[in-house]
Amino acid sequence: TSISSEETFKEIYQKIFPLGDSSKYAHLVFISIDRERTGGITFGDFMQFLSLLTRGSTLDKIGWSFEFYDVNRDGVISRDEMMKVTDAIHSLIHADPVPKLMLQKVEKVFSCMDTNKDGVVTKEEFYQYCRRNQEVITSMTALP
């Protein structure tokens, strides 16, 4: 039995982030927790998610981050998916569109991750980028 539907999840996020549009980000978090696509988050789903964030290794957290960015779950991250996640994060606290400078930074990061230049980032490319980028490692370690 689910403890939260996506709509309820979005309502909770809107209370936490009242200044922006949290619905896009809440949707992405919801689908990353609802791995079996049941349309609801069970207590077990939520506990597994919290356990990963609080007790997971850095590699576990990088793996979850990859799955978060792989919105359509096809096993790779497209440029569009990376932009979609960036837009959702930006929308949490800003009503205005993502600034051009931020989009350029996302493009630069995507290009660095996509080492074979095939237009998508594989899980291995993602791991490699994260492991050699100290800023990413620090942020993964800082997660609760």
Side-chain angles (χ1 to χ4, degrees), residues 18-19 34 39 44 51 54-55 61 68 73 76 81 88 92 95 122 131 140 142:
L19 300 178
D34 181 25
S51 177
T54 58
R55 295 186 300 173
K61 292 174 185 179
F68 183 74
R73 297 187 182 157
V76 294
E81 286 172 315
L92 283 172
T122 65
R131 278 183 268 174
M140 293 293 170

Side-chain angles (χ1 to χ4, degrees), residues 10 13-25 87-96:
K10 286 179 178 179
Y13 263 80
Q14 191 57 48
K15 288 177 183 170
I16 297 169
F17 299 99
L19 300 178
D21 176 9
S22 62
S23 63
K24 293 183 254 184
Y25 186 76
D87 178 57
I89 293 168
H90 179 79
S91 295
L92 283 172
I93 51 175
H94 300 285
D96 55 322

Side-chain angles (χ1 to χ4, degrees), residues 42-144:
T42 66
F43 182 73
D45 292 335
F46 193 67
M47 292 310 295
Q48 186 176 10
F49 169 70
L50 286 180
S51 177
L52 182 130
L53 288 182
T54 58
R55 295 186 300 173
S57 68
T58 300
L59 284 179
D60 291 337
K61 292 174 185 179
I62 291 171
W64 181 85
S65 296
F66 177 85
E67 291 173 8
F68 183 74
Y69 276 88
D70 181 17
V71 177
N72 67 5
R73 297 187 182 157
D74 65 353
V76 294
I77 300 169
S78 68
R79 185 174 271 102
D80 182 57
E81 286 172 315
M82 192 168 280
M83 293 294 187
K84 187 178 287 188
V85 172
T86 300
D87 178 57
I89 293 168
H90 179 79
S91 295
L92 283 172
I93 51 175
H94 300 285
D96 55 322
V98 178
K100 188 175 182 178
L101 188 61
M102 188 181 293
L103 294 176
Q104 290 170 343
K105 184 173 181 176
V106 170
E107 180 60 39
K108 183 178 177 186
V109 169
F110 187 88
S111 293
C112 287
M113 285 183 172
D114 183 17
T115 55
N116 66 359
K117 306 302 179 207
D118 64 352
V120 293
V121 174
T122 65
K123 197 171 219 174
E124 185 55 35
E125 288 172 321
F126 190 83
Y127 274 110
Q128 286 175 6
Y129 175 84
C130 292
R131 278 183 268 174
R132 62 177 194 266
N133 186 314
Q134 190 55 48
E135 194 175 316
V136 173
I137 296 295
T138 302
S139 68
M140 293 293 170
T141 309
L143 286 173

